[in-house]
Amino acid sequence: MAAKFSVVRGTKDILPAEAERFNEIKSKAGNIFSVYGYRQIYTPILESKDLFIRSLGEETEIVGKQMFLIQREDNDLVLRPEATAGVVRAYIENNLARTEGFVKLFYIGPMFRAERPQKGRLRQFHHIGVEAIGSDDASLDAEIISLADSILKSLLIDGYEIKLNSLGCLSDKKRLSDTLRNILSDKLNLLCDDCQGRYERNVFRVLDCKNKACRKVISGLTLKRSDYLCDDCLAHFESVLVNLDAIGVGYTDCVYLMRGLDYYTRTVFEITHAGLGAQDAIGAGGRYDNLVEELGGNKTPAIGFAFGVERLILARNKEIENTLDNNLVYIIPLGDAAKRESFKILSNLRAAGIISDTVYTDKSLKGAMRKANDLGARFVLIVGDDELAKNVVTVKDMKSGEQNQISRNNLIEELKC
Ligand code: HAM
């Protein structure tokens, strides 16, 4: 069957097997969000273009090159490239500061960036993230990082690294960009063409460049936090580290971690996974203590992070994924009378909350057994004339291969334990 249409470049269909991985991640992360006291928020996928220009910054790659623009009447809308700006807009617009004060929110949903697609880099991908708005307490920074760490542990992902830095307050950031320009000024000719432009427009981005020559220059730099952080911001950062040490969350102190978005201040972090190749960031976040004010609210400190769900899936160990539980009970009727009875059994099992299904296409026992195997069924129930006469069903345990006849009256009880 030749398809007349294909999926849009950089987007993908999430077929049932992957959707299950997706849902498992959502549900495990969702549990941990609740344990940490975060409540869900849904904001629209469509937002105004200006929201992102104002929050991420005109000079960022996302705003400059990657937004999917939708022009309608006199509105410039975009498909959101990230969720932080929309959550902050919602926080201000719905007056959450007045009604709820300090809020801890989480979200799960699709984001859109017109990037060059490659492994782990899509044009439509999903974020699972949190935003805690209304406190500058350093232990909240540690909570957020520990939350990210707990999610990775619950997904049995290992081999990741949490890189941590502080950009300081707005005046520190200015001092940082001046310091960076200063130490790079005599090495400008060694940087790639893009970075020569970045040096002028947004020098932080030079430090993210993947170009080999630029990496070499960056690795030779000597930057110290005390060169640009004020006493308050230095104390805040040290307190974040003390809190993380106290709860045993590991991190790498990384003074060159800058993050590509303008709204960040003070703590920034990125979580990378060595197994992912070029697109190795599985999640990232940080403080944005001026964004609420920048978007029209009162001065309100905040912090958050987001994981890329597709990258979490790539980072998960395949063997672990294959051992996911599947509790499906699959009924195979043999003959018309059995089919009618099986339909009743199926209905009773479902009413009792047992995941169950039956064969709709394969008429032969062999074909139906193959289908049950493909679906990874835990038990197969076979119902034929013999079983009908004795008011039993034959239950095959697909793990052990054992087969027993069980009375229909005890079936639900037996399958439940
Ligand atoms: P971000 O670093 O742009 O941060 O995105 C977070 C994560 O989304 C990345 O670490 C990566 O795993 C995933 N990601 C980004 N772009 C793509 C892509 N094209 N394809 C697949 N996955 C991708 C933010 O967006 C911030 N809003 C995070 C944040 C929340 N900061 C504070 N609060």
Side-chain angles (χ1 to χ4, degrees):
M1 209 171 25
K4 273 198 176 156
F5 299 97
S6 25
V7 73
V8 170
R9 190 168 123 82
T11 69
K12 61 185 271 193
D13 300 313
I14 300 170
L15 300 179
E18 194 177 352
E20 278 158 21
R21 306 282 169 247
F22 239 86
N23 291 337
E24 197 210 354
I25 290 176
K26 278 194 208 169
S27 118
K28 290 206 158 132
N31 285 340
I32 292 173
F33 291 143
S34 312
V35 169
Y36 276 73
Y38 288 74
R39 295 169 68 205
Q40 190 154 12
I41 182 167
Y42 292 89
T43 60
I45 285 167
L46 279 179
E47 294 276 4
S48 75
K49 180 183 170 196
D50 289 346
L51 173 69
F52 297 103
I53 296 180
R54 199 62 190 267
S55 45
L56 309 188
E58 193 112 47
E59 292 301 335
T60 55
E61 200 101 320
I62 297 182
V63 168
K65 299 192 196 151
Q66 300 173 350
M67 291 209 288
F68 282 102
L69 186 62
I70 299 169
Q71 275 160 329
R72 262 191 96 74
E73 290 133 22
D74 46 4
N75 280 336
D76 270 359
L77 304 177
V78 291
L79 299 179
R80 63 179 181 195
E82 59 103 58
T84 310
V87 169
V88 171
R89 178 203 47 70
Y91 173 84
I92 300 167
E93 200 170 346
N94 296 289
N95 232 328
L96 297 187
R98 197 160 48 92
T99 51
E100 307 203 16
F102 172 53
V103 290
K104 305 212 298 190
L105 304 166
F106 77 89
Y107 50 85
I108 298 173
M111 309 293 151
F112 303 83
R113 296 182 192 175
E115 297 193 77
R116 198 169 44 78
Q118 64 177 93
K119 184 180 167 217
R121 188 159 72 189
L122 292 151
R123 291 185 160 187
Q124 176 174 342
F125 58 97
H126 294 75
H127 269 173
I128 280 193
V130 300
E131 312 296 345
I133 308 177
S135 167
D136 64 0
D137 192 324
S139 50
L140 180 62
D141 304 39
E143 170 180 298
I144 291 255
I145 295 166
S146 114
L147 167 62
D149 186 60
S150 300
I151 291 177
L152 294 173
K153 291 207 163 84
S154 81
L155 296 173
L156 306 177
I157 293 176
D158 52 20
Y160 58 89
E161 183 180 12
I162 304 177
K163 295 180 179 140
L164 194 59
N165 192 19
S166 173
L167 304 178
C169 54
L170 285 185
S171 15
D172 293 354
K173 273 180 88 175
K174 170 82 181 58
R175 215 169 10 250
L176 173 59
S177 71
D178 291 346
T179 309
L180 284 172
R181 282 208 183 90
N182 215 358
I183 57 179
L184 284 168
S185 61
D186 60 345
K187 298 174 185 67
L188 257 184
N189 57 334
L190 302 174
L191 299 178
C192 71
D193 288 351
D194 281 348
C195 280
Q196 313 240 347
R198 287 172 185 149
Y199 176 85
E200 292 302 335
R201 293 191 313 269
N202 187 347
V203 67
F204 299 135
R205 292 212 22 240
V206 173
L207 301 199
D208 297 329
C209 186
K210 298 266 193 295
N211 180 297
K212 243 188 178 166
C214 299
R215 298 270 20 119
K216 197 165 167 212
V217 172
I218 295 155
S219 64
L221 297 180
T222 47
L223 177 70
K224 290 192 301 300
R225 240 169 242 121
S226 53
D227 293 341
Y228 64 90
L229 283 190
C230 65
D231 289 350
D232 272 1
C233 290
L234 203 52
H236 186 273
F237 186 62
E238 276 160 9
S239 179
V240 175
L241 303 190
V242 168
N243 277 303
L244 286 173
D245 291 340
I247 54 175
V249 173
Y251 56 84
T252 309
D253 184 334
C254 185
V255 74
Y256 294 108
L257 176 72
M258 297 290 142
R259 304 280 299 125
L261 313 173
D262 274 10
Y263 54 58
Y264 288 118
T265 49
R266 288 194 160 179
T267 312
V268 286
F269 63 99
E270 188 163 89
I271 307 176
T272 54
H273 193 281
L276 293 195
Q279 302 306 315
D280 63 351
I282 49 180
R287 277 207 162 269
Y288 47 93
D289 288 345
N290 300 295
L291 185 60
V292 178
E293 193 178 20
E294 185 67 32
L295 297 182
N298 295 327
K299 185 154 177 49
T300 312
I303 179 168
F305 81 91
F307 278 125
V309 181
E310 289 76 4
R311 293 195 193 168
L312 289 178
I313 292 177
L314 288 174
R316 291 198 77 187
N317 184 320
K318 289 282 171 299
E319 273 166 47
I320 290 164
E321 293 205 17
N322 291 339
T323 63
L324 287 178
D325 279 347
N326 183 351
N327 290 325
L328 175 70
V329 173
Y330 198 72
I331 308 185
I332 304 177
L334 304 174
D336 286 342
K339 194 165 177 192
R340 269 191 307 278
E341 280 311 302
S342 294
F343 203 65
K344 278 196 234 158
I345 297 174
L346 187 60
S347 169
N348 290 338
L349 294 183
R350 285 173 173 168
I354 294 173
I355 303 166
S356 42
D357 210 341
T358 188
V359 55
Y360 283 111
T361 48
D362 254 298
K363 299 278 185 267
S364 73
L365 177 60
K366 202 168 151 210
M369 283 304 288
R370 201 177 311 120
K371 180 82 184 161
N373 233 339
D374 291 348
L375 291 169
R378 177 74 187 81
F379 294 103
V380 167
L381 309 190
I382 299 166
V383 185
D385 291 339
D386 178 42
E387 281 85 359
L388 286 184
K390 296 201 255 171
N391 199 33
V392 296
V393 294
T394 300
V395 177
K396 178 165 182 172
D397 182 326
M398 297 296 275
K399 267 190 195 158
S400 65
E402 230 175 78
Q403 201 161 297
N404 286 308
Q405 290 203 326
I406 291 177
S407 155
R408 276 177 63 177
N409 302 332
N410 303 334
L411 189 59
I412 289 175
E413 241 167 70
E414 290 284 333
L415 289 174
K416 275 197 158 169
C417 59

